Every structure is written in structure tokens, then in C-alpha cells.
Amino acid sequence: MPKTLRLILGDQLNSNHSWYQNHSDKYLYVLAEMKQECDYVVHHGQKIAAFFLAMAEFGKHLSNQGHKVIYLTLEDTEQYQSLSTMILAIMQEYSLENLEYQQPDEYRLREQLQNINIPSTEFDSEHFLLPFDNISVQFKACKAVRMEAFYRRMRKRFDILMNHGKPEGEQWNFDSENRNKLKPSDFEKVPEPLVFNNSTKEIVERLKKHNIKTIGQLESSIGWPVNRQQSLQLLSYFCQFGLPLFGQFQDSMSDKSPHNWSLFHSRLSFSLNTKMLSPLEVIEEAIVAYRKSTGDITLAQIEGFIRQILGWREFVRAIYWVNMPGYAQQNSLQADHPLPDFFWHGKTKMACMSNAIGQSLKHAYAHHIQRLMITGNFCLLAGIDPQQVDAWYLGIYIDAIEWVEMPNTRGMSQFADGGIVASKPYAASANYINKMSDHCRTCHYDAKLKTGSKACPFNATYWHFMDRHRKRFERNPRLTMTYRSFDRYSSTQKGEILKHGQWCIDNIEQL
Ligand code: FAD
Ligand code: SF4
């Protein structure tokens, strides 16, 4: 008879966890679809469907292995107000004596579980490379830390792409060789994305029945991987077709190329964040592909990819935990404008914005530069309330879980943490977007103009942003040149640009 409830959260689908290495009747494993997880923000329909499908697949996998599992659908859990009340009810129903759980990655859920008044034990989730205890040793709350130094320590510690204590190729960073724009002559190299055909029919019905509000497109099937086998397939497909040009086109954006929503990106974030894949195995598989390739995958490509997982992903998790719960309230630039309506339907004359938002609604996915330099940049320049920006990002993306979403959004993209993550705001005018994308060519607006009805809104709002935060940023060495070039305009020109910037902010819904 089981004595212990072992709770498995929706992002804890790690089949290699030590919990599952031995079978024992002592444990009852519980996976549950909960309303509280569906409505703390409005999620993309594909995101909820992918989580529920992946949880159900994981439950089946454990049952097939001989573990005792119960899977509760929204139907079964609708009577419970919260996760805690559900746990207490199951413990009573099955006469269980204690609760075991893996450490949740979200502060909110950890608080909830730690506050249940029953004997309980927390286990490591056995997923991340940096042990949880090391976070407070390497990071301090409210203190600016740079990813690069952390990443180099991680490379050394895990001996990844190292050669006798030195970085392979004698360089830590190959960004200067990457960051190319995708030209029409490159279009034929863009791989067709590997998508699966996972039926969502039952889930769609359940969501309707339980009045779960969602955003975005959810059809009768989704293309996201929902089990380990599909995740491994996607990993190997990426190593073969995406990795050879990953770094080179990592920052480029297009609405003219085929498969422009996926380009050379891995789309492994859902598999990683649900722990169907471990970061170490993704890194190792990519390195095997690099070593086997006969020059097809260069060091610049593999380093660019490893940096994202070994560096950024582990880094933002540490930033989250060392700064929570205060991080969720930070608004250092005192941004307070509401999020424009077009974030929910994508209808705007700005081609770059309508493309990034449109594909997010269609696929629950946008790649990093679309999130950072298009939608994030727009919100930063326009001074949108970070609470609303966070809620949008947390809802819309397939991979959005607070520990990774918040430091990226509030920190990196909105500078709301006052510079803990970024040494300067990621603010850019149309010049950057035009350099990295083909959106401007067919846009209603003109990327070169700063004022007038045809002027690209990113230009005047960029200078409006710089001007309204002059006191804070003027002496930042990375922005001195920016202020110097603005000051080269005559005061009449400056006045006109700032006036147009203010007009864009006041008339944001019309842009
Ligand atoms: P690839 O480009 O193929 O990169 C490979 C992997 O590296 C990703 O799967 C991811 O696990 C990791 N990675 C890359 N960049 C980052 C980063 N900055 N932080 C953490 N991991 C990274 N990522 C999420 O997983 N969840 C989020 O909710 C999320 N929100 C974001 C919000 C904003 C405003 C920004 C700017 C970035 C956000 N990111 C988030 C980071 C990044 O955009 C996504 O991880 C990436 O786009 C996922 O697509 P991919 O798997 O194709 O990534
Ligand atoms: Fe975006 Fe401006 Fe370019 Fe249009 S002109 S696509 S709004 S950057």
C-alpha cells in the first residue's frame, strides 16, 4: 500500500530522475491538471495543450514502467480551489502519510508546497547544471552580475569546449563571426521545421467545458514535442539541420524567407523547460554532432549554441532565485503605460511587430531576437508597465515559465531591474531592425524617417526614451556616443523628434 504521495509538477517530466530508478509500492505518483495553473495569466492554447499532453504521456510512461500513478484531469480537480487542497484531499482518500516533491522552479509554487501543513520532503529536480546551493555563493541579491564571467566559469567547471584549461579556438566568444542578416540567397538553406502531429481534440473540449480562457491559435493538433522520444528526435533534427548555421543567423529576422518563424533555431525550449531533456544531454549531443561534422559545423556555431544553454539559461535561473520575491515588483524606469491592444491580435501597421506578434499567436513561439529587439524593445521605448509586459510573455510562449521568463523580460528586455542582468538597456531604433531583418522593405513606415506620418515609430520613441532617461544613462560608457549623436541635432530638430515620439506614445493604438 502506498504511504507517500510523490507530486510531479507539469514541468518536472524528467524520466531519468532518481525517483524512478527503483519500483516501490510505497509511492503514489500524482500528476494533475489544475485550474490554478491555467489562469494565473492567460496562456496560449497550445501551451496548455502541450503541458497537459506531455504530463499525460509522462504518466503513461511511468505506469508502463510499473510505478503506481494517478493522472487527474481538469474534470477530476475542478472541486479543488488550489494545489494544496487537492494534495490534502488525495492524502486523505488514499490514507497517505507524507508528501514528497521535487523543488519547484517557480517561487509561487515552492511557497505553496512549503506551506502545506503535513510532513513533507523536498528533493532536487536533478535537471540544472548549477546546483541550487551554489546560486547564493556565486550571486548576490540586487547585485549586477555579468553573464560572460559566469559562462566562462561554467565552461571550465564542466570542461565544455575546453582545451587544457583554455577555450577551444583560443576565444570564448565568436559573436563577431555570427549575427548575419538572412539574404534571399540564403533562403534555400532554411530547414523545414520538424513538427509533430499530437492530437489536442480532447483537451480543446476540456478547456471549453471548464471555461479556460486562452489566446492564440489552437487547432486539432499541435506540432510541439510532448514526450521524450519526440524531444530526442527534435534534438537530433536540430543538430543535423539547424546547428550548421545556428550562430550565423541566430539574430536574423525575416518575413520573406520560407519557415521564417523557426529559421535555424532549435525550438527545444519546451522540451528543456519541462525537463523531458536535460541541458547536459543537449549540450553533449550538439558537441558530438560538431566533432563528427567534417567542417559543416564550425566552432562559432557550436559555441553560440552552448552559450545559450550553459550560459544564459543557467544564469537567468540564478538571477531569478537570488532576487525573488522582490524581483517581481521591480520597475526601475517607472514605466506605467498599458500594453497596447495589438499585442493580443497582431494588427498594427508596423511590419516587424505584426510579424513577431502574429507568429507568436500562431505558433506560441518567437525566437530570442524577436522577443528582445522587436516586441520587448517596443515596450521598453514606449514605457509599458513591466507587470503587463511580464504577463504577456508569461502567457504567450510555449516555453514560458516564470523563472526563465521574468529575468529575460523584466531584466534583460525592460531594464526594470535597474541593470542586474544588462549593463545597458536593449533599446534600438529602426536602424538595427532594418540591419537584421527584411521587414522594413515592405512596411507601411519608413525606417529612415524620424518625424512625419510615415516615420518609423521606433525612431522617435528611441530618442524619446533616451531623452526621458538622460539622467540615468548619460554617463553609462556604453551610451555616451548615443547621447553625443543626439546632441548633434539642432534644438529644433530635437524638439520635433521628441514631439513625434510623444505623439507615438499617446497614439500607440493607431500605430
Ligand atoms: P534557441 O535559439 O535554439 O536556443 C537554444 C536554447 O538556449 C533554448 O531552447 C533555451 O533553452 C536556451 N536559451 C537561449 N537564450 C536564452 C535566454 N536568454 N534565457 C534562457 N535560456 C535561453 N526562454 C524560455 O525558455 N522561456 C521564456 O519564458 C522566455 N522568455 C523570454 C522573454 C524575453 C523578453 C526574451 C528576450 C527571451 C526569453 N526567453 C525565454 C529566452 C529565449 O528567447 C528562448 O529560450 C528561445 O527563444 C527559445 O527558443 P529555442 O528553443 O528555439 O532557442
Ligand atoms: Fe519595424 Fe519600423 Fe522597420 Fe516598419 S520601418 S518594419 S516599424 S522597424
Side-chain angles (χ1 to χ4, degrees), residues 63 98 116 200 272 297 302 308 389 419:
S63 282
N98 50 47
I116 306 184
T200 57
L272 276 163
I297 304 173
I302 185 74
Q308 308 310 318
V389 184

mmCIF file of all heavy atoms in Angstrom, residues 63 98 116 200 272 297 302 308 389 419:
data_model
loop_
_atom_site.group_PDB
_atom_site.id
_atom_site.type_symbol
_atom_site.label_atom_id
_atom_site.label_comp_id
_atom_site.label_asym_id
_atom_site.label_seq_id
_atom_site.Cartn_x
_atom_site.Cartn_y
_atom_site.Cartn_z
ATOM 1 N N SER A 63 3.593 4.517 -15.614
ATOM 2 C CA SER A 63 2.733 3.338 -15.399
ATOM 3 C C SER A 63 3.301 2.129 -16.115
ATOM 4 O O SER A 63 3.383 1.035 -15.547
ATOM 5 C CB SER A 63 1.343 3.568 -15.973
ATOM 6 O OG SER A 63 0.613 4.350 -15.139
ATOM 7 N N ASN A 98 2.769 10.982 4.086
ATOM 8 C CA ASN A 98 3.612 12.150 3.813
ATOM 9 C C ASN A 98 3.699 12.488 2.330
ATOM 10 O O ASN A 98 3.286 11.701 1.480
ATOM 11 C CB ASN A 98 5.015 11.989 4.426
ATOM 12 C CG ASN A 98 5.618 10.660 4.063
ATOM 13 O OD1 ASN A 98 5.588 10.270 2.893
ATOM 14 N ND2 ASN A 98 6.131 9.948 5.046
ATOM 15 N N ILE A 116 2.228 23.819 3.089
ATOM 16 C CA ILE A 116 1.207 22.820 3.420
ATOM 17 C C ILE A 116 1.585 22.183 4.752
ATOM 18 O O ILE A 116 2.739 21.791 4.949
ATOM 19 C CB ILE A 116 1.107 21.701 2.352
ATOM 20 C CG1 ILE A 116 0.899 22.286 0.964
ATOM 21 C CG2 ILE A 116 -0.041 20.745 2.672
ATOM 22 C CD1 ILE A 116 0.701 21.226 -0.110
ATOM 23 N N THR A 200 -5.074 17.280 -30.125
ATOM 24 C CA THR A 200 -5.481 18.089 -28.963
ATOM 25 C C THR A 200 -6.994 18.063 -28.764
ATOM 26 O O THR A 200 -7.514 18.836 -27.951
ATOM 27 C CB THR A 200 -5.065 19.563 -29.176
ATOM 28 O OG1 THR A 200 -5.663 20.009 -30.391
ATOM 29 C CG2 THR A 200 -3.579 19.748 -29.249
ATOM 30 N N LEU A 272 13.183 21.291 -22.916
ATOM 31 C CA LEU A 272 14.124 21.558 -21.827
ATOM 32 C C LEU A 272 13.388 22.023 -20.571
ATOM 33 O O LEU A 272 13.623 21.505 -19.477
ATOM 34 C CB LEU A 272 15.113 22.641 -22.258
ATOM 35 C CG LEU A 272 16.323 22.167 -23.058
ATOM 36 C CD1 LEU A 272 16.989 23.339 -23.775
ATOM 37 C CD2 LEU A 272 17.340 21.482 -22.156
ATOM 38 N N ILE A 297 29.865 22.072 -39.326
ATOM 39 C CA ILE A 297 29.522 22.851 -38.130
ATOM 40 C C ILE A 297 30.818 23.459 -37.616
ATOM 41 O O ILE A 297 31.731 22.737 -37.215
ATOM 42 C CB ILE A 297 28.887 21.947 -37.046
ATOM 43 C CG1 ILE A 297 27.667 21.211 -37.596
ATOM 44 C CG2 ILE A 297 28.500 22.776 -35.824
ATOM 45 C CD1 ILE A 297 27.079 20.164 -36.656
ATOM 46 N N ILE A 302 28.742 26.064 -32.805
ATOM 47 C CA ILE A 302 28.516 25.256 -31.596
ATOM 48 C C ILE A 302 28.695 26.123 -30.338
ATOM 49 O O ILE A 302 27.916 26.021 -29.391
ATOM 50 C CB ILE A 302 29.442 23.992 -31.562
ATOM 51 C CG1 ILE A 302 29.120 23.104 -30.371
ATOM 52 C CG2 ILE A 302 30.918 24.317 -31.541
ATOM 53 C CD1 ILE A 302 27.872 22.341 -30.483
ATOM 54 N N GLN A 308 24.051 29.617 -25.012
ATOM 55 C CA GLN A 308 22.645 29.854 -24.650
ATOM 56 C C GLN A 308 22.216 28.942 -23.501
ATOM 57 O O GLN A 308 21.486 29.355 -22.613
ATOM 58 C CB GLN A 308 21.698 29.596 -25.843
ATOM 59 C CG GLN A 308 22.045 30.318 -27.128
ATOM 60 C CD GLN A 308 22.282 31.792 -26.918
ATOM 61 O OE1 GLN A 308 21.558 32.449 -26.175
ATOM 62 N NE2 GLN A 308 23.321 32.319 -27.549
ATOM 63 N N VAL A 389 3.812 43.623 -19.302
ATOM 64 C CA VAL A 389 4.726 43.019 -20.274
ATOM 65 C C VAL A 389 5.027 41.576 -19.832
ATOM 66 O O VAL A 389 4.944 40.628 -20.618
ATOM 67 C CB VAL A 389 6.047 43.831 -20.412
ATOM 68 C CG1 VAL A 389 6.930 43.233 -21.493
ATOM 69 C CG2 VAL A 389 5.758 45.290 -20.716
ATOM 70 N N GLY A 419 19.413 47.103 -14.009
ATOM 71 C CA GLY A 419 20.736 46.744 -14.533
ATOM 72 C C GLY A 419 21.354 45.517 -13.892
ATOM 73 O O GLY A 419 22.550 45.288 -14.013
#
